[in-house]
Amino acid sequence: MYYGFDVGGTKIEFGAFDKTLTRVATERLATPLQHYDQFIAVIAEQVEKYDEILNCVGLVGLGLPGTERVDDGTLMVANIPGLNGRRLRQDLETRLQRPVRLENDANCFILSEAWDDSLRDSPSVMGLILGTGFGGGLVYRGEVFSGRNHVAGEIGHMRMPVDAWFWLGDNPPLFQCGCGQQGCLESYISGRGFEALYQHRHGQFKSAVEIIEHFYAGDTTVIEFVEFFIELLAICLGNIFTAHDPHTVVLGGGLSNFERLYQALPQRITRYLLPIAQCPEIRKAKYGATGGVRGAAFLNLQP
């Protein structure tokens, strides 16, 4: 059995998957935010419980909103203070007496998509999350590529390309990113950036949901803004695709549900690629909110 834990700032979702990758168990647990020993206990007790129920020694994978430092195994997790600086993987392995796989939650999201039957033979799959923030992950031949420092795919913290900066006009906003830098892609082409740019250009706040609703209602001001934003997104993605040249791109996060993106992006992105290049297939994530727990479990399908 493959056990996956999708760890978030409020809840932990658990899933057990059999050898056919069919989910056979589901539970949700509250995330202990401050107390490390309590966090260890919650994970370990869940594993031990399902070992007994399913009569197996399950293979364990965790997806976290953070990163494990390569050189010492400590964690950097923004919204779960009790995990910061801790060697979670090693401590769980000691408690459970088995290997534990651990990855960033964005990588788990795209691993789940890449192991879908329709993509399993794809040589490279890139996942892009257009949610509150903007991030991504890379899967090559069925395996997550994390990079030297486990930050491969953190494309939200690339800076705006110069052509995108020019596209913002004569008075471009210099947004501050949560990472401490300015001009990060995350601050402009995420759901939060979608809202911030609308407010900058039109002097009033609308939520992403409201902007999209007004777009479909035929509001000409909003239609103009949406087309402006899609062009900005196309410029940024064109730069990313030139660097990575993925075969397939899967979009997740709240903005990925905006169908206009799939109609407009492929043609527009092509203008920002090398002349010999074609835009990769861009598709919507299939597994939605369940992708994280699937991907965490499937970490143990990798070499």
Side-chain angles (χ1 to χ4, degrees):
M1 288 288 175
Y2 302 104
Y3 295 164
F5 291 87
D6 183 16
V7 179
T10 57
K11 66 174 178 63
I12 300 170
E13 183 175 356
F14 167 80
F17 298 79
D18 65 19
K19 64 182 180 181
T20 70
L21 309 187
T22 300
R23 191 166 182 170
V24 297
T26 300
E27 281 202 39
R28 289 188 175 184
L29 313 159
T31 303
L33 296 178
Q34 303 291 342
H35 301 292
Y36 182 66
D37 290 343
Q38 186 180 356
F39 186 95
I40 291 282
V42 165
I43 299 295
E45 288 168 7
Q46 191 76 355
V47 169
E48 292 159 357
K49 171 183 172 179
Y50 277 92
D51 279 356
E52 184 174 348
I53 290 173
L54 300 172
N55 191 30
C56 69
V57 177
L59 300 172
V60 179
L62 278 81
L64 295 163
T67 304
E68 184 182 48
R69 292 180 175 89
V70 168
D71 295 332
D72 64 7
T74 60
L75 287 179
M76 182 179 68
V77 184
N79 59 348
I80 309 177
L83 298 185
N84 273 317
R86 299 287 192 161
R87 293 180 172 86
L88 176 63
R89 180 169 50 82
Q90 293 93 322
D91 291 342
L92 280 173
E93 288 178 342
T94 298
R95 169 71 184 265
L96 295 170
Q97 292 298 292
R98 72 193 75 179
V100 172
R101 301 294 295 268
L102 189 151
E103 263 294 354
N104 177 271
D105 52 4
N107 287 339
C108 291
F109 150 73
I110 191 53
L111 185 63
S112 169
E113 297 292 330
W115 273 83
D116 182 71
D117 287 343
S118 66
L119 286 179
R120 202 171 297 182
D121 294 329
S122 182
S124 62
V125 182
M126 172 179 279
L128 298 176
I129 298 174
L130 298 169
T132 303
F134 172 67
L138 302 164
V139 172
Y140 296 122
R141 302 195 183 280
E143 183 175 1
V144 169
F145 177 74
S146 297
R148 161 64 176 84
N149 296 295
H150 289 171
V151 296
E154 289 284 1
I155 53 180
H157 300 292
M158 294 169 57
R159 304 297 183 270
M160 290 281 284
V162 65
D163 45 353
W165 191 251
F166 290 152
W167 180 250
L168 290 175
D170 295 333
N171 183 30
L174 189 58
F175 294 143
Q176 184 80 27
C177 182
C179 74
Q181 302 292 335
Q182 293 179 316
C184 292
L185 292 182
E186 173 162 306
S187 301
Y188 296 85
I189 59 173
S190 61
R192 186 172 57 239
F194 187 53
E195 296 167 346
L197 284 171
Y198 185 88
Q199 185 169 16
H200 174 79
R201 288 174 66 85
H202 297 291
Q204 61 175 318
F205 176 81
K206 289 187 189 298
S207 70
V209 170
E210 290 174 320
I211 294 169
I212 292 169
E213 287 176 347
H214 283 240
F215 173 84
Y216 284 122
D219 184 321
T220 55
T221 298
V222 172
I223 290 171
E224 180 275 332
F225 169 75
V226 165
E227 298 306 322
F228 157 83
F229 179 84
I230 290 175
E231 192 71 17
L232 178 70
L233 182 58
I235 296 169
C236 296
L237 295 187
N239 278 262
I240 292 167
F241 295 169
T242 296
H244 296 282
D245 198 19
H247 290 77
T248 306
V249 175
V250 180
L251 302 184
L255 277 184
S256 73
N257 295 312
F258 188 17
E259 293 298 330
R260 177 61 183 155
L261 298 182
Y262 303 93
Q263 299 163 2
L265 280 175
Q267 182 177 14
R268 296 196 189 189
I269 287 170
T270 300
R271 298 203 296 267
Y272 301 105
L273 300 174
L274 291 173
I276 63 168
Q278 297 180 357
C279 184
E281 177 193 8
I282 301 174
R283 60 165 69 181
K284 187 188 300 186
K286 181 175 180 178
Y287 293 97
T290 66
V293 70
R294 278 172 46 89
F298 297 172
L299 291 170
N300 281 290
L301 293 169
Q302 301 185 107

